[in-house]
Amino acid sequence: MISDPLTVITIVPLAVSLVLLILPKISGSAEGLARASRAISMGVALAMLAITTMIFFGEIGNVDWTDYNSGYSLTNDAFALIPSIGVQWKVGADALSFPMIWLTTLLIPISMLVEWDAKKGHLFHPLILMMEGALIGVFVSLDMFVFYAFWELTLVPMFFLIMVWGGDDRKYASMKFFIYTFTASVIMLIGILVMYFYTPDVASSGTITGHTFDMSVMIASSDYIPSEGLRHLVWLLLLIGFATKMPSVPVHTWLPDAHVQAPTAGSMLLAGVMLKMGAYGFLRIAVSAFPNSTVAFIPLLIFLGMASLVYGAWVCMGQTNLKRMVAYSSVSHMGLIFLGIATMQPLGIAGALFMMFAHGIISPLLFAVAGAFKHHYHTLEIGSMRGIAHHSPWLAAHMMLGWMASLGLPLLAGFVAEVTILIAFWMSFGWLVLLPTLTLIITAVYYLTSMQKTIFESNDPHHGILPDTLHGEEPRDISWHENSGMIILGALTILFGILPFIFWDMMSEWSSGFLIETLVDAMQSEGVKP
Amino acid sequence: MNSIGQLSLDSDTASSMMPELIMILGLIAIVLVPNLGDAKFRLPLTSIRVPVLLGGSRFDLTNDPRLPNRISNLTFSLALLSSLLLISESPKEVGGILMVDGFSRLFSTMFLGALLLVSIATTHRLPAKTNAQVPKESDSENVFDRKISILIDNRRQVDFYILLIMVGLGMTMMTMATNLFMLIVCIELASLSTYVLVAFHKEGPSGGEAGAKYFIVGSVASAIGIYGMSLLYLWSGSLDLEILRQNWLSMDGVDPFAAFGIGMMLVAFGFKVSAAPFHLAAPDAYSGAASQVSGLLATASKAMGFLALFRVLVMITVPEGSEAIWMIALSIFAIVTMTWGNLAALTSENPKRILAYSSVAHAGYMLAAIAVVGSGISGTGQSSIILTAVSFHLFVLVLFKLGAFLVLTLLETEGKGHKIEHLHGLGRREPLIAGSMFLFVLSLAGVPPLSGFLSKLLMINGIVSTSASTGSSSSADVISWAESVDPLFWLAAAIVLNSALSLFYYLRIGLVMFFEEPSTEKPLKAAPSLRMAIFACALLTVLCGIGPVSEWLLGTVSTAIDSFMYQ
């Protein structure tokens, strides 16, 4: 039907958003323009969702995602972008990237829907559309140069979303966000360049440098890098780039600021997809290219994962700001991904993948709730408002579902990921599993106390306590577009909690295949038992 | 052969020298046309008027203050076009001292492109007279008329464009010189004109000072270079580059005359490319000159210096398979230059100075690449890749370095642009201009996928592929590997570290443009052709980094360098 769907879903959003951004006022009034650009953006986003959903159901491409050995699917005929240094437009997807691609195309229209009434000109929705193209570009490109270019490109729309539509302290937050992640990715670039300079000299490749940015060639030729030490160094450089994006303690400090100041849709995409770019890149590049270094640095991964998990959860307990709390809980959950990878078990890696996916549905719900709370109660302080179940029953219901999912209640999506990672962790490291498990209790503590403070507890069961910021007005329940977005996310949380195998099968196949292909040799040579 | 032969202008020579002929015609036109109809002919660059006893007052058309600019734009456009068409022509020798080939035409295309951009940018930049003011309604009739007559005086324009075309002539001729004497003369023709252009910034107090400084330091450097040239003449008895090369290769040991001669020429060219420690006049000159002239200095004038280095260092003094005598010195100069440039730019508060120091740093990157050519461990293939990278970098610098200076030119039309505060809030006042500026600084920093990244990657690649293979592959840790690798590898590491360092001040420009509050919300002057030039630079900055345009350019540069290396 569509011969090259991945190129389409990358280029079309970018092209449409650029047209919408650059074209001056098409229709007469500013309001008409805003409405038109919003409708066009939504239309494109829904079309992209339709394409990826059809890919999932086999209508396009007829891909069997559970087959690891078939490699990348939906690839195109690579054509050179900069032949002289070996840069190609080459796309493809496998079970590692496809759930992320589908998640991106799902979250984009939902986040547009949740902020359907964004003000300040007509650029909000086109920027989100641009974000879609950049994010999908990161997940589909099989050329390291293009990957890096998209990786940087994601910063641009997010930066403007925070800077223009953010909260009171948006300048500081967007600047910190930009500098932090930009610096980290420059460090990552150095690692990529070292890998590039050691790709084998292919005389017929037509490059004048004799090297190529082709991702599979770069990954396969990492053995040409002389000396173990240099390989470890490159791996660490890559890790810095990816861990900052994830983010992992100690390079996480940009995240709470960015989240608190970002507009709701920005937060949803930031937590939902952008953080996953870190884990994706880590698995796709760092682990694939340097399995020996990964195995050698398992203790570091465990330390980083554990630190993020425990520190994130611990800090959550002290937060009074709703968005800050959710942001730190993201840090905490991202720690689990490192732990899952560090187990070196198919189950653990699959759990990490499912965590990426599940957190990509749950955290947007949490941020949508926090955004709606801010929107209607004009505050994010947890204690200032009590008993919203009375005033905003829908909001309270979504809040409760989201928090339950985040703390890992069985039959919700988060539970599947957490429990598999913990089982794999127990198999690999034995009683060390107590630490992450106990941390989940902390998670439960902070969610339950804030739930009690916000949703239920009040002196007068019929009125609750309204925050001062409302100035005595009666709060309303959330609007239709916020509500429908949250309903979709909530429904998916339940769906993937009950029927995780929809994506679990392909993830688990990919993990065992990946482990056998890449990591087993490395584990044997490093003396780690598989 | 080595005597300056008779230059006869047959049609074949004329067609291969077309750009130069067009510029000479343009020069004549720009002197004559604005005087047409006037009874007094003004001698260019002076206020002396010679009565010609014909006519009365000038025609309306020749009186038009925009006329010289149009003639200059037309001249440079035609010259650029003809130069572009000549790139693939077969080599042709002219008069025994010039060689028109793909290599020289490639560089002359670049020079003419830069000059065309400068010429277009000057349209809105140069007031007709230093004291020109826009007349107000309230002025008395007398004052009003006088102000109008000042405004429409086009003769100051004439002087500027005469100098610009002279720069063009000097630069394009120097690309073709096969004789050291001719090379120096052409460089001096271009340089002397740039000294005056720097001082042409009469609206501010700093212009004259900058021009004087630049002139004094520049002429001392030239004098040293010419002294070096005379030493080479004493040693070799000829200044023909080919003969010099043969003499150098057949020399036993190193003749002190030859070594001193080359060393002194290195000083002169080091000044041209603003390499440390000969760069000290450059920031003053750049910040004192009008921005588009600073852009010219930072791109075309610098490229001229590098071309001279190609001719003298690479062509004459690189022995095959062993180390050139200047290799160590040039490596040290390179590292000092890039580090000094970046550190100084970090602390600067004047965007013109920041760009000037960044230009110093870029000279350092390119010198590092050239040093590797002289190392003796790079084969001819690798050397030609490195020289391709340097030439390509010089090419794309014209786009983003000159582009950045053009943005400052736009600010300067309001008398601003010499303080970082003037960039504050540009993102809100002029989103497209600020976006272009951001693109330029990112490209200067070398962020993919812009052209600055491509050229820098090619240079680093040249250095790394030459040197990294020398490292031991059996060493287990980074330290022992680092000890085993050839010292040249550290040039690549220095470039990478310096690029990271430079990000701070490049990003700072972006930050103040988008974050600080502007002092006024008013947009800048309309200046359509200047804006067009900026947008063209921005577009080409992207296109030369990715896609078919970059491929074509790189292919052309590579072919030209091959013809230079294997001639």
Side-chain angles (χ1 to χ4, degrees):
Chain A
M1 209 169 108
I2 302 174
S3 62
D4 190 3
L6 295 180
T7 304
V8 170
I9 59 174
T10 312
I11 297 301
V12 169
L14 282 179
V16 174
S17 69
L18 276 183
V19 170
L20 290 175
L21 288 177
I22 289 174
L23 273 191
K25 301 187 166 30
I26 322 162
S27 68
S29 66
E31 201 176 319
L33 177 67
R35 217 173 285 154
S37 80
R38 158 174 100 175
I40 295 172
S41 308
M42 188 55 136
V44 174
L46 286 176
M48 298 305 118
L49 177 61
I51 291 178
T52 50
T53 312
M54 280 162 83
I55 294 174
F56 177 72
F57 285 114
E59 298 283 330
I60 298 176
N62 196 16
V63 185
D64 178 14
W65 294 108
T66 53
D67 184 7
Y68 176 81
N69 294 320
S70 64
Y72 296 109
S73 311
L74 300 172
T75 48
N76 64 339
D77 298 328
F79 67 92
L81 287 178
I82 318 177
S84 47
I85 58 170
V87 175
Q88 299 166 308
W89 178 259
K90 194 177 169 197
V91 293
D94 62 2
L96 172 61
S97 53
F98 182 69
M100 289 295 114
I101 298 170
W102 186 78
L103 183 68
T104 311
T105 52
L106 172 79
L107 285 181
I108 294 284
I110 291 181
S111 57
M112 281 183 189
L113 184 66
V114 167
E115 283 217 60
W116 192 241
D117 56 349
K119 300 283 187 310
K120 294 195 192 175
H122 69 289
L123 297 181
F124 187 83
H125 296 92
L127 276 175
I128 292 186
L129 200 60
M130 184 191 233
M131 192 79 199
E132 171 163 33
L135 287 168
I136 294 178
V138 169
F139 292 124
V140 299
S141 55
L142 295 182
D143 183 281
M144 208 74 105
F145 183 93
V146 180
F147 168 85
Y148 186 81
F150 279 120
W151 179 278
E152 295 287 30
L153 184 62
T154 56
L155 292 184
V156 177
M158 184 52 78
F159 171 77
F160 282 107
L161 284 176
I162 299 178
M163 194 182 84
V164 180
W165 286 272
D168 298 332
D169 207 9
R170 54 184 184 266
K171 237 187 209 176
Y172 169 75
S174 54
M175 209 142 98
K176 187 168 176 181
F177 162 74
F178 190 88
I179 293 175
Y180 228 101
T181 49
F182 190 79
T183 314
S185 45
V186 168
I187 294 173
M188 179 178 96
L189 177 66
I190 298 176
I192 291 180
L193 286 184
V194 177
M195 289 172 74
Y196 172 73
F197 288 132
Y198 284 103
T199 53
D201 196 341
V202 193
S204 59
S205 63
T207 65
I208 61 171
T209 55
H211 303 296
T212 173
F213 274 107
D214 188 315
M215 196 181 272
S216 40
V217 176
M218 280 178 86
I219 288 171
S221 58
S222 59
D223 287 343
Y224 290 95
I225 297 180
S227 95
E228 186 82 47
L230 193 61
R231 281 199 290 273
H232 285 344
L233 183 71
V234 174
W235 185 87
L236 282 172
L237 291 174
L238 294 175
L239 180 73
I240 290 174
F242 296 134
T244 308
K245 203 68 159 195
M246 251 171 84
S248 160
V249 172
V251 279
H252 66 285
T253 58
W254 61 271
L255 184 80
D257 287 316
H259 267 316
V260 171
Q261 301 303 330
T264 307
S267 282
M268 288 169 68
L269 291 177
L270 193 60
V273 196
M274 247 179 122
L275 305 190
K276 313 306 182 299
M277 281 163 50
Y280 168 78
F282 182 67
L283 281 170
R284 173 70 89 219
I285 297 167
V287 180
S288 306
F290 303 100
N292 287 68
S293 308
T294 313
V295 174
F297 282 107
I298 282 179
L300 176 68
L301 286 182
I302 294 180
F303 174 75
L304 288 178
M306 215 66 115
S308 306
L309 181 68
V310 177
Y311 176 78
W314 189 258
V315 171
C316 270
M317 287 207 296
Q319 296 304 318
T320 56
N321 183 310
L322 196 56
K323 269 192 161 182
R324 258 196 131 70
M325 184 182 84
V326 180
Y328 275 111
S329 88
S330 284
V331 175
S332 179
H333 283 106
M334 292 298 107
L336 275 175
I337 292 183
F338 266 153
L339 291 185
I341 297 171
T343 59
M344 296 290 151
Q345 304 269 1
L347 192 63
I349 296 179
L353 295 189
F354 202 79
M355 178 55 106
M356 283 161 67
F357 183 75
H359 185 260
I361 290 182
I362 297 168
S363 66
L365 176 60
L366 295 173
F367 280 110
V369 166
F373 188 75
K374 165 89 180 167
H375 193 85
H376 294 289
Y377 290 87
H378 307 293
T379 178
L380 282 169
E381 291 300 305
I382 289 171
S384 71
M385 168 67 213
R386 292 177 186 221
I388 62 167
H390 176 77
H391 293 281
S392 314
W394 275 110
L395 181 62
H398 292 309
M399 188 181 267
M400 195 147 155
L401 178 67
W403 286 357
M404 285 303 170
S406 186
L407 66 79
L409 197 73
L411 290 185
L412 296 177
F415 172 74
V416 184
E418 282 182 15
V419 83
T420 47
I421 291 177
L422 291 179
I423 291 172
F425 200 80
W426 188 79
M427 297 197 303
S428 289
F429 304 109
W431 290 111
L432 203 58
V433 77
L434 277 179
L435 194 57
T437 317
L438 289 175
T439 312
L440 295 182
I441 297 178
I442 306 184
T443 314
V445 168
Y446 65 75
Y447 273 132
L448 289 174
T449 44
S450 11
M451 200 183 293
Q452 187 199 18
K453 277 186 191 166
T454 329
I455 302 180
F456 300 116
E457 180 187 283
S458 78
N459 297 330
D460 180 350
H462 297 294
H463 288 93
I465 298 175
L466 294 177
D468 301 337
T469 42
L470 272 177
H471 303 298
E473 287 172 46
E474 187 68 10
R476 289 162 298 134
D477 204 350
I478 47 180
S479 45
W480 65 270
H481 52 84
E482 287 168 330
N483 202 356
S484 42
M486 289 182 215
I487 286 177
I488 298 171
L489 288 173
L492 288 173
T493 310
I494 298 171
L495 176 73
F496 289 110
I498 300 173
L499 305 172
F501 54 80
I502 299 174
F503 278 107
W504 174 266
D505 284 353
M506 65 170 85
M507 288 172 179
S508 125
E509 288 300 320
W510 187 88
S511 309
S512 30
F514 180 69
L515 204 72
I516 293 165
E517 288 277 311
T518 338
L519 287 167
V520 166
D521 289 345
M523 283 192 279
Q524 270 157 2
S525 71
E526 296 283 332
V528 177
K529 70 170 192 301
Chain B
M1 178 69 183
N2 59 353
S3 66
I4 297 176
Q6 264 89 46
L7 185 73
S8 62
L9 196 67
D10 53 71
S11 65
D12 205 22
T13 316
S15 72
S16 62
M17 299 283 283
M18 192 51 86
E20 286 71 29
L21 293 178
I22 291 174
M23 275 190 282
I24 291 172
L25 290 179
L27 204 57
I28 295 170
I30 214 164
V31 173
L32 284 185
V33 174
N35 281 298
L36 286 183
D38 200 349
K40 286 189 223 149
F41 183 94
R42 190 189 71 128
L43 293 180
L45 301 171
T46 64
S47 50
I48 302 169
R49 294 175 187 220
V50 185
V52 287
L53 306 175
L54 278 173
S57 57
R58 292 186 283 167
F59 305 126
D60 281 351
L61 182 69
T62 55
N63 217 354
D64 189 339
R66 288 164 298 185
L67 183 69
N69 177 257
R70 284 176 186 162
I71 297 177
S72 152
N73 287 351
L74 184 71
T75 307
F76 283 124
S77 315
L78 288 177
L80 176 66
L81 203 66
S82 59
S83 172
L84 204 58
L85 292 175
L86 284 168
I87 284 185
S88 48
E89 291 287 303
S90 56
K92 180 163 178 17
E93 198 170 354
V94 180
I97 48 166
L98 296 178
M99 174 69 109
V100 190
D101 55 6
F103 179 72
S104 61
R105 276 300 163 226
L106 183 77
F107 271 91
S108 64
T109 307
M110 185 246 280
F111 291 142
L112 290 169
L115 286 161
L116 178 63
L117 284 172
V118 172
S119 173
I120 291 174
T122 312
T123 316
H124 302 282
R125 174 61 190 83
L126 204 62
K129 271 204 171 168
T130 47
N131 55 350
Q133 285 170 328
V134 183
K136 290 186 221 122
E137 292 289 322
S138 56
D139 287 337
S140 70
E141 204 172 320
N142 223 350
V143 177
F144 195 87
D145 285 350
R146 205 178 61 237
K147 281 185 174 172
I148 289 287
S149 76
I150 290 171
L151 268 176
I152 60 177
D153 189 333
N154 61 7
R155 299 180 190 190
R156 177 157 176 261
Q157 255 70 356
V158 172
D159 298 347
F160 187 90
Y161 295 108
I162 287 176
L163 290 167
L164 212 54
I165 296 178
M166 300 278 256
V167 173
L169 270 175
M171 283 178 172
T172 53
M173 300 281 277
M174 78 78 65
T175 62
M176 303 183 280
T178 56
N179 185 296
L180 199 51
F181 187 75
M182 187 64 186
L183 189 79
I184 293 275
V185 168
C186 293
I187 290 180
E188 281 312 298
L189 174 62
S191 305
L192 283 170
S193 312
T194 52
Y195 301 145
V196 187
L197 283 178
V198 168
F200 218 91
H201 183 60
K202 292 181 189 166
E203 297 88 68
S206 50
E209 184 197 331
K213 225 179 229 174
Y214 199 51
F215 171 64
I216 293 168
V217 182
S219 49
V220 170
S222 298
I224 295 176
I226 291 168
Y227 189 45
M229 180 178 75
S230 52
L231 288 180
L232 283 180
Y233 185 70
L234 275 179
W235 160 71
S236 148
S238 164
L239 287 176
D240 190 88
L241 292 175
E242 193 47 43
I243 295 175
L244 279 171
R245 171 173 176 78
Q246 278 155 15
N247 285 346
W248 186 278
L249 290 181
S250 58
M251 177 170 64
D252 298 327
V254 176
D255 191 288
F257 272 119
F260 274 109
I262 290 291
M264 286 179 155
M265 302 212 75
L266 200 56
V267 172
F269 300 148
F271 171 78
K272 276 272 138 246
V273 304
S274 55
F278 314 117
H279 72 284
L280 291 167
D284 285 337
Y286 288 22
S287 60
S291 283
Q292 77 276 27
V293 176
S294 320
L296 186 70
L297 294 181
T299 56
S301 188
K302 179 184 294 267
M304 190 168 72
F306 272 103
L307 194 55
L309 283 180
F310 282 9
R311 291 277 188 209
V312 173
L313 287 189
V314 180
M315 211 168 132
I316 299 181
T317 60
V318 175
E320 277 165 30
S322 63
E323 193 178 299
I325 51 164
W326 40 263
M327 198 279 283
I328 304 273
L330 204 64
S331 312
I332 294 171
F333 276 151
I335 290 184
V336 172
T337 303
M338 62 177 101
T339 316
W340 191 331
N342 280 324
L343 289 178
L346 275 179
T347 55
S348 186
E349 290 293 326
N350 177 346
K352 284 164 96 173
R353 286 189 100 87
I354 293 181
L355 287 178
Y357 280 120
S358 108
S359 155
V360 173
H362 277 262
Y365 306 150
M366 289 184 274
L367 285 178
I370 293 181
V372 175
V373 175
S375 68
I377 57 171
S378 71
T380 328
Q382 277 165 336
S383 296
S384 86
I385 289 177
I386 293 175
L387 291 186
T388 306
V390 173
S391 312
F392 183 71
H393 192 68
L394 288 170
F395 249 90
V396 292
L397 261 185
V398 171
L399 302 173
F400 46 80
K401 171 75 73 161
L402 191 52
F405 273 112
L406 291 188
V407 172
L408 295 183
T409 310
L410 186 59
L411 283 169
E412 256 178 13
T413 56
E414 297 188 338
K416 291 180 172 168
H418 52 276
K419 280 189 189 142
I420 193 110
E421 285 82 34
H422 296 157
L423 285 169
H424 282 191
L426 194 63
R428 192 177 309 167
R429 296 171 66 193
E430 292 279 352
L432 280 178
I433 296 290
S436 308
M437 182 72 174
F438 195 50
L439 206 65
F440 295 143
V441 289
L442 285 184
S443 190
L444 280 169
V447 173
L450 302 171
S451 48
F453 172 77
L454 180 57
S455 58
K456 213 180 257 184
L457 176 78
L458 287 171
M459 284 197 286
I460 297 176
N461 173 71
I463 303 174
V464 169
S465 58
T466 305
S467 59
S469 52
T470 57
S472 138
S473 59
S474 57
S475 44
D477 60 283
V478 183
I479 309 288
S480 62
W481 177 81
E483 281 168 354
S484 69
V485 79
D486 192 275
L488 282 175
F489 176 79
W490 299 111
L491 284 174
I495 294 182
V496 171
L497 289 178
N498 266 289
S499 300
L501 186 65
S502 70
L503 267 178
F504 285 101
Y505 60 84
Y506 290 132
L507 283 183
R508 179 167 168 228
I509 291 181
L511 290 179
V512 299
M513 283 195 306
F514 290 106
F515 285 106
E516 297 294 337
E517 296 294 321
S519 56
T520 160
E521 293 279 336
K522 255 194 350 215
L524 293 163
K525 254 193 193 164
S529 60
L530 178 50
R531 274 166 203 259
M532 229 167 57
I534 293 173
F535 295 143
C537 283
L539 188 68
L540 283 170
T541 302
V542 178
L543 286 183
C544 287
I546 196 159
V549 177
S550 75
E551 203 44 39
W552 171 81
L553 182 58
L554 205 48
T556 316
V557 174
S558 174
T559 322
I561 290 293
D562 281 346
S563 77
F564 167 76
M565 290 290 290
Y566 301 108
Q567 68 189 354

